[in-house]
Amino acid sequence: MDIETLEGIRKCPLFKGLTDNEIMDLMHTIRYRVTRLCKGDFLFVAGEDCLHANILLDGEVVAYLEGASDRYIRMSTFHAGNMFAPAFLFAQDRRYPVTVQATTNTKVLRILSADFERLLELDARLSKNFTFILSNLIAGLTKKVGMLLSSVRDKIIFFLKEQQRHQKSSTITLPMSRQELADHFGIQKYSLQRALNELQESGAIRIDGKKIELLKL
């Protein structure tokens, strides 16, 4: 295993509490491969069978649902250390519900489901960490569903408050473009812009390009 692969694996919460030597010893007992993607490449598309545990080693990918009229709902963005779609490895219906596409040059560690199951059996810490990952995933999806069912205004307020907590500042920098943000909410770009303008006119926020100051949210 090369040092870059080890560094990427080390970032994954699945291996929390393990030393580099323990990680390498465990990985030597299973089969895995590193897949390289260029920007725009697809790792998998919705409807394909989930046959691998996927750990992002480097780069960025997005997961999205395809809706009506060629609309896309951006579900999640993944960075180095993230696992994606881990729950479907052991589900009765193992088909991916989302499409995952690279937004930068990316490296992904892929472990066949049987080898991943063996990995979890080899060290109890991995099983505990995997349960933690799944629990956080369920909590995150619950929030996401609630956001998608809310009004455009409430979606934006929820997102801005999340970014405020994440960036630890009342002045946040949007981590994506207006179009990407609209896709994230599953709405049209003009609906997003109109809602942002209304929030600014009400004195709730102040917009300066990609920077937004939260005033009365």
Side-chain angles (χ1 to χ4, degrees), residues 152-153 156 190-200:
V152 174
R153 178 188 175 93
I156 294 172
Y190 70 81
S191 298
L192 169 69
Q193 193 60 52
R194 181 176 59 196
L196 284 171
N197 290 340
E198 289 173 354
L199 284 170
Q200 179 166 244

Side-chain angles (χ1 to χ4, degrees), residues 153 156-157 160 178 192-217:
R153 178 188 175 93
I156 294 172
I157 291 173
L160 293 177
R178 295 287 199 278
L192 169 69
Q193 193 60 52
R194 181 176 59 196
L196 284 171
N197 290 340
E198 289 173 354
L199 284 170
Q200 179 166 244
E201 290 169 2
S202 71
I205 62 175
R206 182 182 295 115
I207 303 173
D208 181 14
K210 295 193 74 171
K211 292 188 180 297
I212 298 180
E213 183 180 0
L214 280 58
L215 301 172
K216 297 179 182 178
L217 286 185

Side-chain angles (χ1 to χ4, degrees), residues 1-16:
M1 177 185 295
D2 61 75
I3 187 64
E4 289 184 356
T5 299
L6 178 60
E7 288 177 353
I9 290 175
R10 194 190 295 133
K11 296 176 184 176
C12 181
L14 179 69
F15 296 91
K16 182 180 178 180

Side-chain angles (χ1 to χ4, degrees), residues 10 50 69 73 79 97-98 124 144 155 176 182 203:
R10 194 190 295 133
C50 178
S69 303
I73 300 175
H79 303 93
V98 296
K144 183 73 175 181
K155 289 176 183 179
M176 58 188 78

Side-chain angles (χ1 to χ4, degrees), residues 45-64:
V45 298
E48 289 185 9
D49 286 338
C50 178
L51 303 177
H52 300 86
N54 300 290
I55 299 174
L56 193 57
L57 299 175
D58 187 39
E60 179 186 271
V61 299
V62 295
Y64 58 84

Side-chain angles (χ1 to χ4, degrees), residues 104-137:
T104 65
N105 291 337
T106 300
K107 291 195 300 184
V108 180
L109 180 74
R110 311 201 76 187
I111 307 172
L112 284 168
S113 58
D115 288 277
F116 186 72
E117 186 173 4
R118 171 173 167 75
L119 191 64
L120 296 181
E121 292 171 349
L122 288 172
D123 195 304
R125 290 172 294 179
L126 295 181
S127 295
K128 182 179 179 180
N129 291 341
F130 188 60
T131 301
F132 179 78
I133 290 170
L134 294 180
S135 298
N136 282 340
L137 176 64

